């Protein structure tokens, strides 16, 4: 249901640009459409028996609906900050996720840069296609998740919504977005090397151990460290996080 998604994002953008007297109502409508979009996603996951993502999508839908309700009834400034983060991060991510031409360019770029990195260290990786690298005849296909776009969109949205001096926001951007991109290239290079050289047994097993276990553990650690650095640069983020918890408890106050 791409229509619901883009209606929500357009309403988010209008809300953050509109006068305060209408911004909350427009933003609340956007959150309702966003909630409906997420509520529809379990249809796909039920078809493939992915019950974890079914539950995750339903929880996100409930959260979005609740933010919309609080934005309509309480008109708190925090809801506008969350809406701005959702608008920036959402437009950035879903532009790549929904438009194949953009995702093609990004995946091709990440794959070619991964091959270039490995080649510079003498590893004979070959780009067999725009989204496929091979090593020792073993192919590894790149998808959008291999680009780190989700984490980049998350930090982009969060950093953009914080009320802080531009200089510190730029510093937070530099320690997060470029770092995530570079670390993601290193992760992809590690997975291809481990798979092609069969470090953990057969290629299938080597891919599973390197990608689904080791790389995910490393990615989690890196994101935690990057988050810590961003919090150091933008302590205002802590107020936003606390505010979100207050929002979930209904503890928001009406904006003046």
């Amino acid at each position: 249901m791409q229509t619901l998604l883009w209606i929500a994002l357009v309403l988010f953008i209008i809300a953050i640009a509109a006068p305060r007297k209408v911004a909350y109502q427009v933003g609340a409508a956007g959150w309702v459409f966003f909630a409906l979009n997420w509520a529809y996603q379990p249809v796909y996951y039920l078809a493939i028996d992915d019950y974890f993502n079914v539950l995750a999508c339903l929880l996100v839908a409930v959260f979005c609906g609740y933010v919309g309700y609080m934005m309509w009834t309480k008109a708190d400034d925090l809801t506008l900050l969350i809406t701005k983060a959702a608008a920036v991060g959402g437009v950035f991510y879903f532009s790549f996720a929904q438009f194949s031409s953009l995702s093609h360019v990004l995946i091709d770029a990440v794959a070619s840069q991964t091959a270039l990195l490995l080649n510079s260290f003498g590893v004979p990786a070959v780009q067999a296609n725009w989204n496929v690298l091979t090593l020792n005849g073993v192919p590894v296909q790149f998808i959008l998740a291999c680009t780190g776009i989700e984490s980049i969109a998350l930090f982009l949205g969060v950093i953009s919504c914080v009320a802080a001096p531009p200089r510190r926001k730029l510093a937070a951007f530099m320690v997060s977005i470029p770092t995530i991109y570079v670390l993601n290239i290193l992760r992809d290079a590690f997975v291809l090397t481990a798979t092609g050289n069969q470090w953990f047994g057969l290629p299938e097993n080597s891919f599973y151990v390197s990608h689904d276990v080791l790389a995910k553990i490393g990615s989690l650690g890196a994101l935690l460290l990057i988050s810590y650095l961003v919090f150091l640069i933008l302590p205002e983020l802590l107020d936003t996080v606390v505010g979100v918890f207050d929002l979930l408890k209904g503890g928001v106050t009406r904006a003046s």
Side-chain angles (χ1 to χ4, degrees):
M1 296 292 285
Q2 295 183 18
T3 303
L4 292 174
L5 170 66
W6 288 104
I7 289 176
L9 294 176
V10 168
L11 289 173
F12 287 163
I13 294 171
I14 294 174
I16 61 180
R20 289 293 181 90
K21 61 182 180 180
V22 297
Y24 297 108
Q25 290 81 359
V26 174
W31 282 105
V32 170
F33 279 101
F34 210 35
L36 292 174
N37 170 74
W38 285 105
Y40 181 79
Q41 301 308 310
V43 173
Y44 166 76
Y45 291 114
L46 283 172
I48 59 175
D49 297 326
D50 188 344
Y51 299 107
F52 176 82
N53 277 323
V54 168
L55 178 61
C57 289
L58 291 176
L59 289 175
V60 172
V62 171
F63 173 77
C64 293
Y66 184 70
V67 172
Y69 168 76
M70 297 301 289
M71 194 170 194
W72 181 275
T73 58
K74 299 293 185 179
D76 189 88
D77 286 342
L78 176 64
T79 57
L80 277 180
L81 289 179
I82 299 174
T83 301
K84 182 178 181 180
V88 174
V91 169
F92 182 80
Y93 172 74
F94 288 110
S95 294
F96 288 96
Q98 301 290 338
F99 298 106
S100 58
S101 57
L102 290 178
S103 63
H104 185 123
V105 170
L106 181 59
I107 293 170
D108 185 18
V110 169
S112 62
Q113 289 162 15
T114 301
L116 182 63
L117 173 65
L118 289 172
N119 293 162
S120 68
F121 284 96
V123 180
V126 176
Q127 187 167 6
N129 205 338
W130 65 273
N131 63 341
V132 177
L133 294 185
T134 65
L135 179 62
N136 298 327
V138 178
V140 172
Q141 181 177 353
F142 282 57
I143 61 175
L144 188 61
C146 298
T147 66
I149 191 72
E150 298 97 333
S151 299
I152 291 173
L154 174 63
F155 278 92
L156 192 63
V158 168
I159 292 171
S160 69
C161 80
V162 175
R167 183 175 180 179
R168 286 200 285 117
K169 293 178 74 169
L170 177 60
F173 175 90
M174 293 306 297
V175 302
S176 58
I177 308 302
T179 302
I180 291 171
Y181 189 84
V182 171
L183 289 177
N184 186 72
I185 297 291
L186 293 174
R187 182 196 68 166
D188 293 340
F190 165 71
V191 171
L192 180 64
T193 303
T195 303
N197 288 320
Q198 302 183 41
W199 284 355
F200 307 105
L202 294 175
E204 295 81 3
N205 190 62
S206 293
F207 179 83
Y208 172 78
V209 173
S210 61
H211 181 273
D212 294 344
V213 180
L214 298 179
K216 287 188 176 180
I217 293 173
S219 296
L220 177 60
L223 288 177
L224 289 175
L225 178 59
I226 292 170
S227 299
Y228 174 72
L229 294 175
V230 170
F231 271 107
L232 286 180
I233 298 170
L234 296 175
E236 295 89 346
L237 267 179
L238 182 59
D239 294 334
T240 303
V241 172
V242 172
V244 170
F245 280 108
D246 287 340
L247 178 68
L248 293 174
K249 296 186 297 183
V252 292
T253 56
R254 187 173 182 85
S256 58

